Amino acid sequence: MNYPSDWPEPVVRVQSLSETGDTVIPDRYIKPPLERPSPSFNTGSSDNLNIPLIDLHLSDHPTIQKATMDEISVACREWGFFQVVNHGISPELVDGVREIWREFFHQPMEMKQDYANAPTTYEGYGSRLGIQKGAILDWSDYFFLHYLPSNLKDHNKWPSQPPFLRDMVEEYSKEIVRLGKILLKVFSINLGLEEDYLQKAFGDDDIGACLRVNFYPKCPQPDLTLGLSSHSDPGGMTFLLPDENVTGLQVRKGGEWITVKPARHAMVVNIGDQIQILTNAIYKSVEHRVIVNPDKERVSLAYFFNPKCDVLIAPASELVTSKTPALYQSMTYDEYRRFIRTKGIQGKSQVESLKFPK
Ligand code: OGA
Ligand code: NI
């Protein structure tokens, strides 16, 4: 199946809506009552909870120490979400890349429209994910680009302005890929697999790495909508660089939504659906969403590590036993992604649908 070459209806930039100064949001952005960010969630006991914070010590050691590996193991099993500091990516680069993207979104609309995306590849400037006509939309715009595999990388599709954006994204991407390889190795060892198991399962040098920069404009009615609907990330693993000054990311833990309080220069790491499948659900991809703010915009960079599009992803045979039989059917990432790209993001319904019937 090919994706349609255009959106089902004219694209409206959320940033333009926000800038009109209207005090009500269009109906298209109003979520059903049960999906809205209920204010009571933010005042309960979960307020003091946060996802685990792990010091990788990579600024002073070249490799990850045993005690740190153990902390990562617990975080992967119990949370599927954690933040890392001393990850080896310089604070200047972390702040610089976020702020240059903020500048990108603050440029005149005509400059951004040059990069307007289509559902064929999603690369470029976008304002929605699914292609269902009349769908309820999220309160955000984004920019999506490919870094790996190298044959998908095309600098002409990256913004040419502000100056140095391309250079900075290159530098940041190189660092993220380095850190990604380290963590895939740590996960493999922690699972009792060969250290290069996950890297190889993802297609080795053909692993995918792509960036979605999210821009959440101010929203006059933040209680009625979401910046990003509840979802789990479809790929392997995500590195999220959050806005340091504005919270918004919430992670589901049991029946509650926990607001991530970012540590300074931290990177948020989370498990995606493909690692849930590969590990036969020893590690789980966790639902998360983004709430928006009445007087502050928010910028975040989500770097996705994905399997090569045509390799079959199935539970590792080493992790399948008579007591823990394979939970999922195998599928390529390409087939998997199609579901999300046609229907939009819908909680964890896709990974659940891959389960063998009981
Ligand atoms: C995503 C995502 C969270 C955020 O892009 O998949 O979950 O804080 N982003 O922007
Ligand atoms: Ni996500």
Side-chain angles (χ1 to χ4, degrees), residues 23-44:
T23 53
V24 291
I25 61 174
D27 289 349
R28 290 294 302 270
Y29 298 88
I30 299 181
K31 303 289 175 186
L34 287 175
E35 288 175 27
R36 293 179 198 164
S38 150
S40 63
F41 277 129
N42 306 324
T43 51

Side-chain angles (χ1 to χ4, degrees), residues 269-309:
V269 183
N270 67 283
I271 303 290
D273 295 345
Q274 306 306 309
I275 288 190
Q276 174 166 336
I277 296 168
L278 278 159
T279 65
N280 207 25
I282 296 174
Y283 293 175
K284 293 183 189 64
S285 64
V286 173
E287 265 182 88
H288 51 285
R289 67 179 189 182
V290 176
I291 57 172
V292 286
N293 197 294
D295 35 45
K296 287 179 193 151
E297 68 183 32
R298 180 170 179 272
V299 177
S300 71
L301 276 68
Y303 227 115
F304 304 106
F305 278 81
N306 301 327
K308 183 171 184 285
C309 59

Side-chain angles (χ1 to χ4, degrees), residues 212 214 216 228 231 233 240 249 288 290 298 300 302 304:
R212 188 169 72 217
N214 299 298
Y216 305 97
L228 207 53
H231 66 284
D233 292 344
L240 181 91
L249 173 62
H288 51 285
V290 176
R298 180 170 179 272
S300 71
F304 304 106

Side-chain angles (χ1 to χ4, degrees), residues 58-59 85-98 168 171-172 175-176 178-179 241 244 264-267:
L58 281 173
S59 318
V85 289
N86 291 319
H87 39 59
I89 308 181
S90 81
E92 294 74 27
L93 182 56
V94 161
D95 288 339
V97 76
R98 191 198 312 105
M168 214 176 243
E171 198 185 334
Y172 181 68
E175 293 287 294
I176 284 280
R178 187 185 52 73
L179 184 60
L241 173 60
E244 212 161 71
R264 210 160 148 63
H265 300 127
M267 197 69 75

Side-chain angles (χ1 to χ4, degrees), residues 107-283:
Q107 295 178 117
M109 191 50 82
E110 311 83 75
M111 297 184 68
K112 292 176 287 201
Q113 292 292 19
D114 284 347
Y115 300 92
N117 75 348
T120 33
T121 67
Y122 276 82
E123 289 166 284
Y125 181 47
S127 297
R128 65 183 293 166
L129 277 173
I131 47 172
Q132 275 183 332
K133 198 168 177 189
I136 295 180
L137 302 176
D138 289 338
W139 192 263
S140 54
D141 301 320
Y142 63 86
F143 198 99
F144 181 69
L145 59 84
H146 285 290
Y147 179 69
L148 289 179
S150 344
N151 65 322
L152 287 186
K153 178 168 90 175
D154 181 354
H155 270 194
N156 293 320
K157 293 181 178 170
W158 300 14
S160 62
Q161 297 289 333
F164 305 117
L165 181 141
R166 288 176 180 166
D167 290 346
M168 214 176 243
V169 173
E170 268 294 329
E171 198 185 334
Y172 181 68
S173 303
K174 206 164 76 206
E175 293 287 294
I176 284 280
V177 169
R178 187 185 52 73
L179 184 60
K181 286 191 169 159
I182 295 176
L183 282 190
L184 283 181
K185 202 188 256 184
V186 169
F187 291 178
S188 301
I189 297 170
N190 278 344
L191 288 157
L193 302 167
E194 294 286 327
E195 63 170 46
D196 57 357
Y197 187 94
L198 288 174
Q199 180 80 33
K200 282 213 170 111
F202 274 36
D204 227 340
D205 287 339
D206 292 327
I207 192 166
C210 49
L211 172 65
R212 188 169 72 217
V213 184
N214 299 298
F215 184 76
Y216 305 97
K218 292 177 202 174
C219 178
Q221 294 181 296
D223 296 342
L224 298 182
T225 191
L226 288 169
L228 207 53
S229 297
S230 172
H231 66 284
S232 61
D233 292 344
M237 165 176 74
T238 307
F239 286 115
L240 181 91
L241 173 60
D243 198 308
E244 212 161 71
N245 302 312
V246 188
T247 57
L249 173 62
Q250 296 189 320
V251 176
R252 193 201 281 279
K253 178 81 171 156
E256 291 199 86
W257 287 103
I258 293 174
T259 302
V260 172
K261 275 71 89 184
R264 210 160 148 63
H265 300 127
M267 197 69 75
V268 176
V269 183
N270 67 283
I271 303 290
D273 295 345
Q274 306 306 309
I275 288 190
Q276 174 166 336
I277 296 168
L278 278 159
T279 65
N280 207 25
I282 296 174
Y283 293 175

